């Protein structure tokens, strides 16, 4: 599909349709677009709701709508060709085959995407959890950071989404939500550290944004 | 354009309303100007910047109020319904409700258009009982049907209380515009709503000002440490006098207007400290951040929420029943 058609579709979907709906009816407060750096980045976020990905795509600067890709589980979002096509057109997803599937190398796939210049949205909790509770993180982001030391890791904490539209419920109930965008995480020594330590650093950065002390 | 041609397409812009509105805008202009001068003379400072942020917000509030309320009854009803929607959302977002309460909340949101419809078509019986009786029973039913009893007592109380405080109370503002027109009442129904909002806002301002200048005796130290007896009494006297001065906006005589203003000074204070107490309980300073310099919607309309009910029922009792 031509690039400008894709951009037009996404500007319409996110800026003209979803963003006013999410901010006026649901009550999501969007962060300033200037908080997102212009360089290649990975947005590392907590995950409580289907609203998460959509509201992040509404937050990023318009010109980034083509090169920021949420990573989605292939077994859930690419069940059939139509669904996969719609996800790619509207959500700009890259698909990840989760562990346990034949021939799955999720980290290598994501690494390839980063090497080709794409920015990613990752949810290291792996799946949607209970509202305002940060589950343990998978090590994927840390491994990606070790392999690509120059990439910016941007911690993001979203509050309220899991109450506006929790897992297992298709109805949206208005609830004020906040999106906290943190400073890019810089750790030049990441490659020398154990993976779990880097993961913990990233998790701490998100926990700090949530304002909660470590549990 | 003369006054007559403006009032012909604006339903509630009678000459008394326009005059008072002009004075309000003029006063705010003078205040803004004096802050600007103060800033130019003394330079930027934390206090002056905060005062200016607040004043700019007052401009938005005042202009939004004038534009939405006085031109068409339908527009006014929709605008007040939207205000109560945002207030309800803000309040329930702060209350840390359970996931099981989402259905009850959804029914409250669906109740907003119905409640304001009853106000718009002046269906008084339904307007009065819909939230206090029908929703009261219905919300308990929805809560029980969720099957999750852990914390259900709190939820039953808090959700209905929120609906009363935001949806039911503010719908009285909309109903004021639907009251039948009275003969020999020049200001019209727009006058009542203007009087109420003005008296409520000025009462807040004067209680604050008297408290700052004369305040010695704390009135409720555990709830709101800034509230003083002197501020409360000073506000009461000033507001009563202002209510008396502006009685021409109401369909009642000057004495009754003064009594009503005194009453509203008291209930406005009650609304204010009620929300203060809730904020203290929740451990937050402001209910939200939607109005720069003021906090959230609930921080601004706390006193209006109580006053709209009191004012509506007293004015209706005095002028529309007898």
């Amino acid at each position: 599909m031509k690039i400008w058609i894709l951009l037009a579709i996404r500007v319409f979907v996110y800026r003209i349709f979803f963003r006013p709906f999410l901010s006026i009816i649901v009550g999501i407060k969007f962060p300033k677009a200037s908080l997102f750096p212009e360089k290649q980045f990975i947005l590392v976020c907590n995950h409580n709701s289907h609203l998460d990905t959509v509201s992040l795509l509404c937050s990023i600067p318009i010109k980034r709508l083509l090169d920021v890709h949420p990573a989605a589980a292939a077994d859930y979002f690419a069940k059939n060709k139509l669904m996969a096509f719609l996800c790619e057109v509207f959500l700009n997803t890259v698909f990840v085959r989760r562990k346990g599937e034949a021939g799955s190398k999720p980290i290598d796939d994501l690494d390839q995407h980063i090497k080709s210049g794409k920015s990613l949205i990752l949810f290291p909790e792996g799946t949607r959890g209970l509202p305002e509770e940060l589950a343990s993180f998978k090590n994927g982001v840390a491994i990606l950071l070790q392999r690509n030391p120059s990439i910016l890791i941007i911690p993001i904490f979203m509050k309220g989404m899991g109450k506006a539209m929790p897992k297992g419920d298709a109805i949206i109930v208005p609830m004020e939500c906040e999106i906290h965008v943190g400073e890019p995480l810089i750790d030049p020594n990441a490659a020398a550290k154990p993976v779990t330590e880097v993961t913990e650093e990233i998790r701490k950065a998100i926990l700090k944004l949530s304002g909660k002390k470590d549990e | 354009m003369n006054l007559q041609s403006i009032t012909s397409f604006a339903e509630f812009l009678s000459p008394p309303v326009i005059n008072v509105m002009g004075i309000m805008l003029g006063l705010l202009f003078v205040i803004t100007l004096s802050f600007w001068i103060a800033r130019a003379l003394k330079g930027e400072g934390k206090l002056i910047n905060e005062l200016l942020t607040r004043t700019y917000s007052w401009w938005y509030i005042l202009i939004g109020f004038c534009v939405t309320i006085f031109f068409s009854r339908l527009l006014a009803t929709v605008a007040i319904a939207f205000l109560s929607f945002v207030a309800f959302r803000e309040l329930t977002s702060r209350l840390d409700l359970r996931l099981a309460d989402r259905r009850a909340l959804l029914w409250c949101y669906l109740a907003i258009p119905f409640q304001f419809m009853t106000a718009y078509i002046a269906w008084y019986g339904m307007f009065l009982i819909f939230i206090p009786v029908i929703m009261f029973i219905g919300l308990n039913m929805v809560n029980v049907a969720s099957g999750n009893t852990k914390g259900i007592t709190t939820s039953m109380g808090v959700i209905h209380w929120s609906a009363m405080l935001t949806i039911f109370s503010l719908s009285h503002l909309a109903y004021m515009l639907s009251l039948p027109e009275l003969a020999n009442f020049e200001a019209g129904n727009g006058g009542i709503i203007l009087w109420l909002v003005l008296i409520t806002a000025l009462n807040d301002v004067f209680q604050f000002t008297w408290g700052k200048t004369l305040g010695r005796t704390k009135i409720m130290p555990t709830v709101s440490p800034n509230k003083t007896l002197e501020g409360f009494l000073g506000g009461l006297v000033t507001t009563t006098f202002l209510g008396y001065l502006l009685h021409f906006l109401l369909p009642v005589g000057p004495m009754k207007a003064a009594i009503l203003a005194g009453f509203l000074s008291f209930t406005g204070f009650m609304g204010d400290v009620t929300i203060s107490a809730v904020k203290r309980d929740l451990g937050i300073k402001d209910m939200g951040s939607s109005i720069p310099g003021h906090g959230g919607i609930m921080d601004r309309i706390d006193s209006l929420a109580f006053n709209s009910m009191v004012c509506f029922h007293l004015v209706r009792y005095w002028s529309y029943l007898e």
Side-chain angles (χ1 to χ4, degrees):
Chain A
M1 207 182 287
K2 284 221 172 61
I3 286 206
W4 63 268
I5 299 181
L6 268 184
L7 188 62
I9 290 176
R10 293 203 190 122
V11 167
F12 179 79
V13 168
Y14 292 106
R15 288 297 166 137
I16 298 173
F17 178 73
F18 271 123
R19 194 165 160 140
F21 168 75
L22 291 175
S23 73
I24 296 170
I25 305 297
V26 181
I28 297 179
K29 282 206 191 74
F30 287 103
K32 283 190 201 120
S34 59
L35 287 170
F36 296 93
E38 295 196 1
K39 286 198 277 181
Q40 190 185 12
F41 55 61
I42 303 179
L43 305 181
V44 185
C45 327
N46 64 327
H47 198 19
N48 299 320
S49 167
H50 278 322
L51 290 175
D52 291 346
T53 315
V54 174
S55 38
L56 282 173
L57 288 171
C58 290
S59 310
I60 55 172
I62 289 177
K63 58 185 172 189
R64 300 302 292 273
L65 275 172
L66 288 174
D67 79 326
V68 176
H69 303 257
D75 57 286
Y76 187 93
F77 289 96
K79 265 179 271 187
N80 53 52
K81 275 193 176 154
L82 178 68
M83 183 105 164
F85 173 74
L86 291 177
C87 280
E88 271 170 8
V89 170
F90 289 105
L91 291 167
N92 208 13
T93 44
V94 290
F95 293 109
V96 177
R97 283 166 298 175
R98 284 196 266 210
K99 269 189 194 148
E101 286 173 72
S104 79
K105 282 177 281 175
I107 298 293
D108 291 344
D109 290 353
L110 290 173
D111 195 36
Q112 288 268 298
H113 289 306
I114 290 176
K115 297 251 152 65
S116 68
K118 292 172 180 168
S119 290
L120 298 177
I121 298 177
L122 295 179
F123 300 106
E125 289 168 286
T127 185
R128 289 168 294 156
L130 287 172
E132 273 68 273
E133 279 176 30
L134 201 58
S136 64
F137 278 18
K138 299 190 189 307
N139 287 325
V141 185
I143 299 173
L144 291 174
L145 177 62
Q146 289 180 333
R147 291 194 198 171
N148 308 276
S150 66
I151 197 156
L152 296 174
I153 302 280
I154 301 176
I156 290 183
F157 182 79
M158 288 173 282
K159 198 178 158 215
M161 306 279 182
K163 288 194 166 175
M165 191 189 186
K167 190 174 188 173
D169 202 335
I171 294 175
I172 298 177
V173 172
M175 183 66 69
E176 288 189 353
C177 306
E178 291 158 13
I179 303 174
H180 299 279
V181 181
E183 292 281 313
L185 205 77
I186 299 161
D187 185 356
N189 306 322
K193 289 182 184 171
V195 174
T196 46
E197 198 176 306
V198 182
T199 304
E200 201 47 36
E201 263 173 34
I202 297 170
R203 188 168 179 274
K204 283 240 172 72
I206 296 181
L207 215 54
K208 199 176 140 204
L209 287 177
S210 76
K212 271 195 226 166
K213 292 263 169 359
D214 206 349
E215 60 259 22
Chain B
M1 212 194 299
N2 59 23
L3 276 187
Q4 211 58 48
S5 62
I6 297 177
T7 44
S8 61
F9 72 84
E11 266 178 85
F12 302 105
L13 277 183
S14 56
V17 168
I18 293 182
N19 290 340
V20 173
M21 221 184 248
I23 295 171
M24 274 161 62
L25 289 164
L27 272 178
L28 194 58
F29 182 72
V30 171
I31 291 171
T32 316
L33 207 62
S34 50
F35 284 154
W36 277 346
I37 293 171
R39 191 179 58 176
L41 291 178
K42 285 186 169 176
E44 305 255 333
K46 194 163 170 270
L47 180 71
I48 192 77
N49 286 344
E50 201 184 303
L51 284 172
L52 272 171
T53 316
R54 272 186 180 232
T55 316
Y56 296 152
S57 293
W58 272 119
W59 275 108
Y60 284 112
I61 295 171
L62 190 60
I63 291 172
F65 173 66
C66 294
V67 169
T68 48
I69 301 300
F70 298 97
F71 285 88
S72 120
R73 200 159 63 88
L74 183 62
L75 174 67
T77 310
V78 171
I80 300 167
F82 182 71
L83 180 69
S84 73
F85 162 72
V86 178
F88 183 76
R89 186 178 69 193
E90 185 182 281
L91 190 57
T92 50
S93 296
R94 293 287 137 345
L95 293 172
D96 209 15
L97 295 165
R98 312 168 303 157
L99 277 182
D101 298 327
R102 284 166 36 84
R103 287 295 178 280
L105 288 179
L106 184 67
W107 281 104
C108 289
Y109 285 114
L110 296 176
I112 296 174
F114 187 82
Q115 173 69 7
F116 280 84
M117 185 272 290
T118 62
Y120 185 72
I121 63 170
W123 185 4
Y124 188 65
M126 185 54 94
F127 170 79
L128 270 197
I129 67 162
F130 178 58
I131 288 179
V133 180
I134 298 177
M135 285 299 284
F136 172 69
I137 296 172
L139 284 179
N140 288 341
M141 245 166 61
V142 175
N143 263 320
V144 171
S146 78
N148 185 343
T149 52
K150 184 95 187 95
I152 199 170
T153 324
T154 314
S155 292
M156 282 171 171
V158 133
I159 296 175
H160 189 252
W161 170 82
S162 306
M164 289 293 286
L165 191 63
T166 54
I167 306 167
F168 186 67
S169 68
L170 291 186
S171 65
H172 287 73
L173 289 178
Y175 206 116
M176 273 173 202
L177 297 175
S178 306
L179 288 168
E181 275 181 38
L182 294 172
N184 304 324
F185 174 37
E186 201 199 352
N189 293 343
I192 310 176
I193 202 167
L194 181 63
W195 186 88
L196 164 66
V197 171
L198 200 55
I199 286 296
T200 306
L202 288 175
N203 182 54
D204 285 356
V205 170
F206 281 110
Q207 283 190 353
F208 177 80
T209 321
W210 286 118
K212 278 276 171 204
T213 48
L214 294 180
R216 298 277 178 278
T217 331
K218 289 201 179 351
I219 195 167
M220 284 179 175
T222 56
V223 178
S224 185
N226 293 327
K227 295 269 183 307
T228 59
L229 188 64
E230 292 81 359
F232 171 66
L233 291 176
L236 184 75
V237 173
T238 320
T239 306
T240 309
F241 178 65
L242 283 171
Y244 173 83
L245 273 188
L246 294 169
H247 72 86
F248 57 88
L249 290 174
L250 289 183
V252 299
M255 276 320 287
K256 280 180 176 167
I259 293 170
L260 181 55
F263 229 89
L264 293 185
S265 176
F266 176 69
T267 51
F269 175 79
M270 282 313 300
D272 195 338
V273 289
T274 301
I275 293 299
S276 294
V278 172
K279 285 190 284 196
R280 214 131 249 262
D281 180 27
L282 297 172
I284 51 178
K285 195 179 153 284
D286 287 324
M287 275 290 179
S289 56
S290 29
I291 319 176
H294 294 254
I297 303 278
M298 275 321 286
D299 298 299
R300 192 84 315 285
I301 64 160
D302 46 7
S303 35
L304 187 64
F306 278 29
N307 282 0
S308 53
M309 293 188 273
V310 177
C311 181
F312 174 84
H313 286 296
L314 269 180
V315 167
R316 183 174 176 276
Y317 177 72
W318 277 333
S319 329
Y320 293 85
L321 287 187
E322 288 164 0

